[in-house]
């Protein structure tokens, strides 16, 4: 959420900043701006309400300068306007600041400064910091680093910031408290970004700042310390991702690319983990040995959005395969209801990015209360991964599209493995364990098979693309899949979609059914198949169009459209059934000409409340 980029070195900053912003645009895309060192001690600023492409058009091509900071925004304080776009400056125009996160006490600081005569140019919380830094410099701070430290002292809330002083453009100061920041180490040049996506084109050497850390960066290198000035001496690490991971290649957008990457992503998640001999899996990263696993009496998944739905699917799998009570809860609710934290519960924080503030806060609540929490995270080295200490790495590879696909699939696959592991230290038989291992192994090939049938799914999506409302119907195992299917359609097509339990239809929602209200019904070949058929009969009797997703044969004439998937196993079929729903949402939204990778009002990782 919001992206920061910075550059200091021997090259022109502006093109590098624009290119970095483009890489980070998935983090927020309602406004963009940059500040580059200029003459007469004042950074030169360009900012627009709009996309990075609009900023590129607004920037003077003759703009030169070797030091700069830039930002792509997802509005929190104040609307998406030119004035509210970052960077912000102090009234003298000397200090430029870009900021991710929220200063929670901005209002009271602003009131205080206003009482002292300050005048503000924007509605943002960020501008307050520019005033505080300028005041600290005026009061005689010995360096920009010193001034930033002083200015941050009264500030409460979450932030990643980068600061440029027009009078000292040979250095930049950055600080982190809650929003990610990483330094890229080059040869006589340094990069700053909120995500390695913006760095890997230039360097593989990165320094991940911790919360409460600050760095002064110049072309020759960097110096890190805590906010209260204790040196931290951070060393660079090699990042495991390369430039190609962030390129579209033959694909029109990242969502389509990431859907297609699922067979490989699942293969990576399974690699080295399946144990045929004992019909189980090895999940060493969890740090749980057999005795720990046996001592677990309850499992709770915590996540937001699609990660929460994947947690629901995981909870079903844990109950089914391990017979341990399990559930999922939105991480955003958890800490606010003073949760009972039990010592024999295994808590699992689920997050693609590893940055979602609500999920991180749930982990902190658990750490505070002594709960046992592991992460199921895709972002290596992310805040949630670090706060958990141990966990299941998802191995999905970088995910750029705001709508999550391959990461969600890998969450489900990882939870199937965890459920199998928990089951096999209990009463799940060797034969059943073997059956699940085989089912897991079949997933990549079967996903490929579904992808090969894309055109048929696309055709179905096109046929219903004029619908303004849709139901996604599933029950028990397929309930989370129905919720995720509805979520995908909503977020990228802006069409209202609602998941319903098949048997609940008759208790209210059937009133909405008519020929303009299609239902996607998940009907796998399991013990509830006949019940699903009855639900479809009820919809059909009221004239509602039916799109069935199934792995078996349906009664002739019952449905308008059938999307077929291969058979896997009753337990893991919901994972396969979710893949056509991704493609359905994708082609539905494409038909409506939506901006697939950057749906309106959303951001990929939400690092504010
Ligand atoms: C945002 C995204 C969702 C995502 C959720 C959780 O709302 O738009 O697609 O599911 O955050 O993100 P996480 O990175 O924690 O999985």
């Amino acid at each position: 959420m919001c992206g920061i980029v910075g550059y200091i070195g021997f090259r022109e900053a502006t093109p590098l900043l624009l290119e970095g912003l483009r890489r980070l645009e998935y983090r927020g895309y309602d406004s963009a701006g940059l500040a580059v060192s200029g003459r007469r001690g004042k950074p030169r600023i360009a900012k627009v309400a709009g996309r990075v492409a609009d900023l590129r058009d607004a920037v003077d091509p003759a703009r030169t300068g070797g030091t700069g900071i830039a930002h792509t925004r997802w509005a929190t304080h104040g609307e998406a306007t030119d004035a509210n776009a970052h960077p912000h400056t102090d009234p003298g125009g000397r200090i430029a600041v870009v900021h991710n996160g929220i200063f929670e006490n901005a209002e009271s600081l602003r009131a205080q400064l206003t009482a002292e005569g300050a005048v503000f140019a924007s509605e943002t919380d960020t501008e307050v910091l520019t005033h505080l830094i300028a005041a600290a410099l005026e009061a005689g701070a010995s360096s920009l680093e010193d001034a930033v430290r002083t200015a941050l002292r009264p500030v409460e809330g979450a932030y990643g910031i980068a600061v440029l002083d027009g009078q000292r453009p040979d250095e930049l100061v950055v600080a982190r408290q809650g929003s990610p920041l990483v330094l890229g180490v080059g040869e006589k040049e340094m990069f700053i970004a909120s995500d390695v996506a913006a760095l890997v084109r230039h360097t593989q050497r990165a320094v991940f700042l911790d919360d409460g850390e600050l760095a002064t960066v110049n072309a020759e290198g960097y110096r890190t310390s805590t906010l209260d000035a204790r040196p931290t001496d951070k060393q660079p690490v090699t990042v495991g991702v390369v430039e190609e991971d962030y390129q579209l290649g033959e694909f029109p957008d990242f969502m389509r690319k990431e859907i297609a990457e699922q067979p490989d992503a699942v293969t990576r998640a399974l690699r080295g983990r399946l144990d045929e001999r004992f019909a189980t899996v090895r999940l060493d990263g969890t740090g749980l040995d057999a005795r720990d696993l046996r001592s677990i009496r309850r499992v709770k998944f915590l996540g937001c959005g699609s990660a929460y739905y994947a947690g629901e699917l995981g909870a079903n799998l844990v109950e089914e395969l391990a017979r341990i009570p399990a559930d999922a809860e939105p991480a955003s609710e958890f800490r606010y209801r003073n949760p009972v934290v039990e010592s024999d519960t295994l808590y699992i924080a689920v997050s693609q990015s590893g940055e979602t503030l609500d999920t991180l806060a749930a982990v902190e609540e658990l750490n505070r209360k002594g709960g046992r929490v592991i992460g199921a995270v895709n972002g290596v080295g992310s805040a949630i991964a670090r706060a958990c200490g141990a966990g299941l790495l998802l191995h999905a590879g970088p995910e750029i599209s705001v709508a999550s696909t391959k990461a969600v699939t890998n969450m489900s696959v990882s939870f199937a493995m965890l459920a199998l592991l928990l089951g096999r230290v209990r009463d799940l038989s060797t034969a059943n364990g073997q059956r699940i291992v085989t089912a897991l192994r079949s997933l990549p090939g079967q996903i490929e098979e579904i992808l090969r049938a894309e055109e048929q799914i696309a055709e179905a999506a096109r046929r219903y693309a004029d619908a303004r409302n849709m139901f996604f119907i599933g029950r028990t195992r397929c309930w989370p899949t129905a919720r995720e299917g509805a979520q995908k359609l909503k977020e990228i097509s802006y069409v209202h979609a609602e998941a319903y339990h098949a048997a609940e239809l008759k208790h209210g929602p059937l009133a909405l059914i008519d020929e303009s209200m299609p239902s996607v019904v998940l009907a796998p070949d399991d013990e509830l198949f006949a019940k699903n058929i009855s639900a479809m009969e009820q919809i059909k009797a009221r004239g509602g169009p039916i799109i069935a997703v199934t792995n078996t044969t349906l009664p002739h004439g019952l449905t308008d459209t059938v999307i077929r998937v291969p058979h896997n196993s009753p337990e893991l079929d919901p994972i396969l059934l979710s893949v056509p729903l991704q493609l359905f949402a994708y082609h539905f939204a494409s038909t409506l000409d939506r901006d697939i990778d950057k749906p309106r009002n959303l951001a990929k990782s939400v690092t504010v409340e």
Side-chain angles (χ1 to χ4, degrees), residues 303-308 350-357 359 376 384 399 401-404 407-408 411 484 487-488 491 599 602-606:
C304 297
S306 296
Y308 160 52
V350 191
S351 176
Q352 187 286 125
S353 60
E355 283 176 24
T356 302
L357 184 91
T359 311
I384 294 171
E399 194 179 68
S401 165
V402 167
S404 183
V408 173
M411 287 169 189
E484 172 60 11
Q487 169 95 334
K488 281 286 92 79
E491 61 186 332
L602 301 180
K604 177 84 181 145
S605 55
V606 182

XYZ file of all heavy atoms in Angstrom, residues 303-308 350-357 359 376 384 399 401-404 407-408 411 484 487-488 491 599 602-606, ligand 1:
260
model
N -6.398 -14.200 8.857
C -5.943 -13.545 7.634
C -6.996 -12.551 7.190
O -8.079 -12.463 7.789
N -6.705 -11.809 6.142
C -7.650 -10.816 5.620
C -7.952 -11.119 4.153
O -7.089 -11.612 3.430
C -7.056 -9.410 5.705
S -6.735 -8.901 7.388
N -9.144 -10.780 3.733
C -9.507 -10.936 2.323
C -9.367 -12.382 1.878
O -9.827 -13.319 2.560
N -8.710 -12.560 0.745
C -8.561 -13.917 0.201
C -7.786 -14.819 1.160
O -8.029 -16.029 1.202
C -7.840 -13.854 -1.144
O -8.626 -13.147 -2.064
N -6.871 -14.252 1.911
C -6.088 -15.060 2.862
C -6.992 -15.618 3.958
O -6.779 -16.728 4.459
C -4.967 -14.213 3.459
N -8.026 -14.866 4.315
C -9.003 -15.348 5.310
C -9.807 -16.513 4.722
O -10.021 -17.536 5.375
C -9.882 -14.173 5.737
C -11.198 -14.536 6.370
C -11.269 -15.431 7.444
C -12.388 -13.974 5.904
C -12.482 -15.761 8.020
C -13.610 -14.293 6.482
C -13.647 -15.194 7.531
O -14.854 -15.521 8.089
N -2.023 -15.889 8.081
C -1.987 -16.164 6.645
C -1.865 -14.845 5.883
O -2.707 -13.960 6.047
C -3.291 -16.876 6.201
C -3.141 -17.403 4.787
C -3.671 -17.990 7.165
N -0.848 -14.730 5.043
C -0.699 -13.475 4.299
C 0.213 -13.649 3.100
O 1.327 -14.157 3.231
C -0.118 -12.404 5.229
O 0.113 -11.223 4.515
N -0.261 -13.241 1.958
C 0.591 -13.255 0.768
C 1.768 -12.313 0.982
O 2.916 -12.704 0.893
C -0.229 -12.827 -0.452
C 0.462 -12.936 -1.794
C 1.517 -11.881 -2.055
O 2.679 -12.235 -2.363
N 1.199 -10.628 -1.918
N 1.459 -11.050 1.258
C 2.512 -10.038 1.332
C 3.354 -10.169 2.592
O 4.541 -9.848 2.597
C 1.875 -8.650 1.326
O 1.013 -8.524 2.450
N 2.723 -10.611 3.671
C 3.415 -10.600 4.958
C 3.471 -9.204 5.556
O 4.176 -8.952 6.526
N 2.687 -8.285 4.984
C 2.725 -6.887 5.427
C 1.397 -6.386 5.956
O 1.334 -5.286 6.500
C 3.049 -5.983 4.236
C 4.458 -5.963 3.812
C 4.599 -5.105 2.567
O 3.754 -4.228 2.345
O 5.541 -5.356 1.817
N 0.314 -7.106 5.717
C -1.015 -6.600 6.065
C -1.068 -6.227 7.541
O -0.823 -7.054 8.415
C -2.071 -7.670 5.720
O -1.952 -7.950 4.336
C -3.477 -7.196 6.036
N -1.385 -4.969 7.798
C -1.275 -4.454 9.166
C -2.186 -5.206 10.130
O -1.785 -5.532 11.247
C -1.612 -2.964 9.185
C -1.411 -2.360 10.567
C -0.013 -1.819 10.707
C -2.428 -1.299 10.858
N -3.239 -8.236 10.038
C -2.727 -9.580 10.328
C -1.501 -9.475 11.237
O -1.342 -10.262 12.186
C -2.405 -10.321 9.013
O -3.530 -10.188 8.141
C -2.108 -11.787 9.245
N 1.922 -18.282 7.515
C 1.809 -18.914 6.198
C 1.919 -17.737 5.237
O 0.930 -17.058 4.944
C 0.488 -19.638 6.038
N 5.376 -9.964 8.867
C 4.632 -11.056 9.525
C 5.519 -12.293 9.653
O 5.530 -12.957 10.690
C 3.320 -11.360 8.762
C 2.385 -10.148 8.870
C 2.643 -12.615 9.278
C 1.145 -10.202 8.004
N 3.894 -11.924 -6.450
C 2.541 -11.761 -6.984
C 2.271 -10.263 -7.106
O 2.381 -9.527 -6.131
C 1.512 -12.425 -6.065
C 0.159 -12.592 -6.723
C -0.856 -13.262 -5.818
O -1.262 -12.638 -4.813
O -1.246 -14.401 -6.103
N -0.454 -8.795 -9.349
C -1.869 -8.445 -9.528
C -2.531 -8.247 -8.165
O -2.284 -9.028 -7.238
C -2.563 -9.578 -10.283
O -3.943 -9.435 -10.170
N -3.360 -7.230 -8.058
C -4.037 -6.991 -6.775
C -4.894 -8.203 -6.402
O -4.918 -8.635 -5.251
C -4.878 -5.699 -6.841
C -5.830 -5.598 -5.665
C -3.962 -4.482 -6.873
N -5.592 -8.768 -7.378
C -6.393 -9.964 -7.103
C -5.447 -11.163 -6.975
O -4.734 -11.502 -7.903
C -7.383 -10.193 -8.231
N -5.462 -11.776 -5.825
C -4.523 -12.872 -5.550
C -5.022 -14.172 -6.171
O -6.195 -14.512 -6.066
C -4.400 -13.030 -4.037
O -3.466 -14.018 -3.726
N -1.001 -17.191 -5.035
C -0.683 -17.214 -3.604
C -1.803 -17.895 -2.827
O -1.547 -18.683 -1.910
C -0.453 -15.801 -3.080
N -3.064 -17.620 -3.214
C -4.193 -18.252 -2.530
C -4.153 -19.767 -2.754
O -4.364 -20.555 -1.835
C -5.536 -17.672 -3.040
C -6.703 -18.434 -2.460
C -5.632 -16.209 -2.661
N -1.605 -21.185 -0.588
C -2.057 -21.235 0.811
C -2.848 -22.522 1.032
O -2.600 -23.265 1.968
C -2.964 -20.028 1.127
C -2.238 -18.706 1.248
S -3.435 -17.319 1.298
C -2.305 -15.932 1.152
N -14.355 -17.221 -2.115
C -13.217 -16.679 -2.867
C -13.628 -16.383 -4.316
O -13.213 -15.378 -4.893
C -12.042 -17.674 -2.791
C -10.845 -17.369 -3.660
C -10.169 -16.025 -3.386
O -10.479 -15.364 -2.377
O -9.327 -15.630 -4.211
N -15.484 -13.196 -4.282
C -14.538 -12.100 -4.015
C -13.783 -11.711 -5.285
O -13.634 -10.532 -5.600
C -13.541 -12.581 -2.939
C -12.350 -11.692 -2.733
C -12.586 -10.716 -1.584
O -13.720 -10.378 -1.277
N -11.525 -10.293 -0.952
N -13.317 -12.717 -6.016
C -12.552 -12.429 -7.248
C -13.407 -11.629 -8.216
O -12.961 -10.649 -8.788
C -12.113 -13.725 -7.941
C -10.928 -14.456 -7.413
C -9.582 -13.854 -7.694
C -9.168 -12.951 -6.582
N -8.638 -13.520 -5.396
N -13.975 -7.960 -6.928
C -12.858 -7.011 -6.883
C -12.387 -6.587 -8.261
O -11.974 -5.446 -8.425
C -11.705 -7.493 -5.983
C -11.032 -8.767 -6.357
C -9.999 -9.227 -5.319
O -9.416 -8.398 -4.610
O -9.762 -10.458 -5.246
N -7.585 -2.877 -9.829
C -8.994 -2.544 -9.653
C -9.163 -1.273 -8.820
O -8.350 -0.993 -7.936
C -9.570 -3.756 -8.932
C -8.434 -4.590 -8.515
C -7.238 -4.187 -9.281
N -8.718 -0.267 -4.613
C -8.033 -1.320 -3.863
C -6.520 -1.129 -3.901
O -6.001 -0.303 -4.638
C -8.376 -2.695 -4.440
C -9.855 -3.060 -4.449
C -10.035 -4.456 -5.039
C -10.430 -3.008 -3.039
N -5.827 -1.893 -3.093
C -4.367 -1.940 -3.130
C -3.957 -3.361 -2.797
O -4.717 -4.109 -2.184
C -3.772 -0.973 -2.126
N -2.768 -3.717 -3.191
C -2.341 -5.102 -3.036
C -2.097 -5.467 -1.570
O -2.507 -6.511 -1.104
C -1.062 -5.325 -3.859
C -0.459 -6.719 -3.735
C -1.130 -7.660 -4.684
C -0.584 -9.062 -4.595
N -1.658 -10.049 -4.828
N -1.349 -4.629 -0.874
C -1.124 -4.968 0.527
C -1.513 -3.758 1.366
O -1.093 -2.639 1.090
C 0.321 -5.380 0.774
O 1.185 -4.388 0.328
N -2.327 -4.019 2.358
C -2.950 -2.925 3.093
C -2.228 -2.756 4.430
O -2.448 -3.522 5.361
C -4.458 -3.193 3.274
C -5.118 -2.044 4.001
C -5.116 -3.375 1.909
C -5.784 -6.717 0.241
C -5.801 -7.324 -1.147
C -6.434 -8.710 -1.105
C -5.706 -9.583 -0.107
C -5.683 -8.948 1.288
C -4.748 -9.681 2.236
O -7.060 -6.376 0.632
O -6.494 -6.493 -2.044
O -6.355 -9.304 -2.396
O -6.324 -10.836 -0.045
O -5.201 -7.609 1.202
O -3.435 -9.544 1.778
P -2.239 -10.459 2.263
O -1.024 -9.888 1.590
O -2.185 -10.337 3.765
O -2.544 -11.852 1.837
